[in-house]
Amino acid sequence: MDDKLYFSYAQIHDTVRRLAGVVNGSGFNPDVIVAIGTGGFIPARILKTFVDRPILTVGLKLYDENNRPASSPRKIQWIDEVEKKLSGKRILLVDEVDDSRTTLEYCLRELLTHRPREVAVAVLHSKRKPKRGAYPPEVTKIFVGQEIDDQWVVYPWDAVDIFDHERRAGALTNA
Amino acid sequence: MDDKLYFSYAQIHDTVRRLAGVVNGSGFNPDVIVAIGTGGFIPARILKTFVDRPILTVGLKLYDENNRPASSPRKIQWIDEVEKKLSGKRILLVDEVDDSRTTLEYCLRELLTHRPREVAVAVLHSKRKPKRGAYPPEVTKIFVGQEIDDQWVVYPWDAVDIFDHERRAGALTNA
């Protein structure tokens, strides 16, 4: 027994489906989905099944080359030619988890410099804990798939043995 | 009954694990993974668990704005500041399926203009069928997770009802 929180792929997928229902029902109609890499890649791609918009990605690294935490996130890939097109657009920024909120705040501040029409955030999970980062006031909507306790979360894409992982998560049962 | 081929997330994940084993055993040691969006996002993110390299993404669109097939792929997002860094690097290009090979050829030709040190390709599935595109001769290695018949493939990330999809695919059984 361990006290980590295991999510199966099906549970994640179904959480994204419900999250997409909330987005679609909210009146917020994004022009583009921006996925934060690499944690946001899988949630964003699933989201696209239910909110069919182009996905752009941004890559960030919170550790330096010696694997020591860096003082601030470092860009691995950023939207360049495309970022100019963000001006006047409605952006839905997607990540897997709102943990300390540091990465989300960093990305939001970067995106806001391009003067989008509107920016909203969608995360699979938000941990109930004090946040070090803050959502800039320009962010109009925050969509959360599921609030979770402040536990170690194990996502299926990080599993070395996926069959074992899925059994731990109770694979085919809805969370 | 339909004759579509359904893959569960666990089957996909396990295919990527085996594929990664072949990559790691091949002597090809990529500096960077390039994922073709949006089909390559999920395979690439899983691959990163076993071949831990930064992921860059490129976005392509094969249809024009009126949903008519375009004559050639159109870039949605491309690697810009980063692409200059591809020079001299070993790139592993990842997509979900080698179908007509058109998209793969297009991406490979674009990547090759940046004079990488080496380029290899990894796909989850390759369909047994005549290909319209061709791998440029500079591509040194082609890694294929699984050869499949020329059927309609249903990937789990496209499922509207994931629990139904996973049952169709025989979710927790190894393919």
Side-chain angles (χ1 to χ4, degrees):
Chain A
M1 280 295 288
D2 61 47
D3 57 1
K4 294 176 187 164
L5 203 48
Y6 292 83
F7 289 105
S8 76
Y9 276 115
Q11 287 161 358
I12 298 276
H13 189 106
D14 204 53
T15 298
V16 174
R17 181 189 59 75
R18 284 185 286 111
L19 183 60
V22 178
V23 173
N24 287 330
S26 72
F28 179 70
N29 185 15
D31 298 301
V32 64
I33 295 167
V34 174
I36 301 178
T38 62
F41 285 179
I42 292 182
R45 177 56 191 81
I46 300 170
L47 188 70
K48 185 178 164 59
T49 295
F50 303 98
V51 180
D52 190 12
R53 295 296 179 281
I55 301 177
L56 306 179
T57 69
V58 293
L60 292 173
K61 205 168 134 162
L62 281 161
Y63 294 85
D64 70 13
E65 281 163 25
N66 301 311
N67 232 24
R68 290 176 304 222
S71 50
S72 64
R74 212 165 62 88
K75 292 175 190 174
I76 287 188
Q77 176 178 6
W78 202 255
I79 299 166
D80 307 310
E81 64 201 55
V82 184
E83 78 184 348
K84 296 157 207 152
K85 299 182 198 160
L86 292 179
S87 161
K89 293 285 169 65
R90 296 183 192 86
I91 301 171
L92 181 58
L93 183 68
V94 175
D95 209 353
E96 90 278 43
V97 61
D98 170 18
D99 189 327
S100 70
R101 202 167 286 172
T102 314
T103 303
L104 283 164
E105 177 178 358
Y106 177 87
C107 284
L108 288 162
R109 293 203 180 280
E110 289 281 333
L111 293 176
L112 285 165
T113 63
H114 300 289
R115 305 197 169 280
R117 176 154 169 193
E118 194 174 352
V119 180
V121 174
V123 290
L124 269 179
H125 300 125
S126 176
K127 289 188 182 176
R128 291 184 200 95
K129 63 186 282 188
K131 307 290 182 178
R132 288 197 302 148
Y135 288 123
E138 296 91 339
V139 176
T140 54
K141 292 190 176 70
I142 318 286
F143 303 103
V144 175
Q146 195 181 346
E147 300 267 351
I148 59 175
D149 287 338
D150 187 14
Q151 280 175 274
W152 185 293
V153 181
V154 188
Y155 287 104
W157 47 85
D158 285 320
V160 172
D161 180 340
I162 189 59
F163 300 104
D164 178 66
H165 175 96
E166 295 282 280
R167 277 186 291 267
R168 282 172 193 262
L172 288 183
T173 59
N174 200 325
Chain B
M1 280 292 290
D2 60 45
D3 57 359
K4 293 177 187 163
L5 203 49
Y6 293 83
F7 288 104
S8 76
Y9 276 117
Q11 287 161 356
I12 299 276
H13 189 106
D14 204 51
T15 298
V16 174
R17 181 189 59 75
R18 283 185 287 111
L19 183 61
V22 177
V23 173
N24 287 330
S26 73
F28 180 70
N29 185 16
D31 299 301
V32 64
I33 295 167
V34 174
I36 301 178
T38 61
F41 285 179
I42 292 183
R45 179 55 192 82
I46 300 170
L47 189 70
K48 186 178 162 62
T49 296
F50 303 98
V51 180
D52 189 12
R53 295 295 180 281
I55 300 177
L56 306 179
T57 69
V58 293
L60 292 174
K61 205 168 134 162
L62 280 162
Y63 294 86
D64 70 14
E65 279 162 26
N66 301 312
N67 232 24
R68 289 178 302 223
S71 51
S72 64
R74 215 166 61 87
K75 293 174 189 175
I76 289 187
Q77 177 178 7
W78 204 254
I79 299 166
D80 308 310
E81 65 202 54
V82 183
E83 77 183 348
K84 297 160 206 152
K85 298 181 198 160
L86 292 180
S87 162
K89 292 286 170 64
R90 294 183 193 87
I91 302 172
L92 181 58
L93 183 68
V94 175
D95 209 352
E96 90 278 44
V97 63
D98 170 16
D99 190 325
S100 70
R101 203 168 284 169
T102 315
T103 304
L104 282 164
E105 178 178 356
Y106 177 87
C107 284
L108 287 163
R109 294 202 179 281
E110 289 282 333
L111 293 177
L112 285 165
T113 63
H114 300 289
R115 306 198 168 278
R117 176 155 168 192
E118 194 173 352
V119 179
V121 174
V123 291
L124 268 180
H125 300 126
S126 177
K127 289 189 182 175
R128 293 185 199 95
K129 63 187 281 188
K131 307 289 184 179
R132 288 197 304 147
Y135 289 123
E138 295 89 340
V139 176
T140 54
K141 292 189 178 70
I142 319 287
F143 303 102
V144 175
Q146 194 181 346
E147 300 268 351
I148 58 175
D149 288 336
D150 186 15
Q151 279 176 274
W152 185 292
V153 181
V154 189
Y155 287 104
W157 45 86
D158 286 320
V160 172
D161 180 339
I162 190 59
F163 300 105
D164 178 65
H165 175 96
E166 295 281 279
R167 277 185 292 265
R168 281 172 193 262
L172 287 182
T173 59
N174 199 325

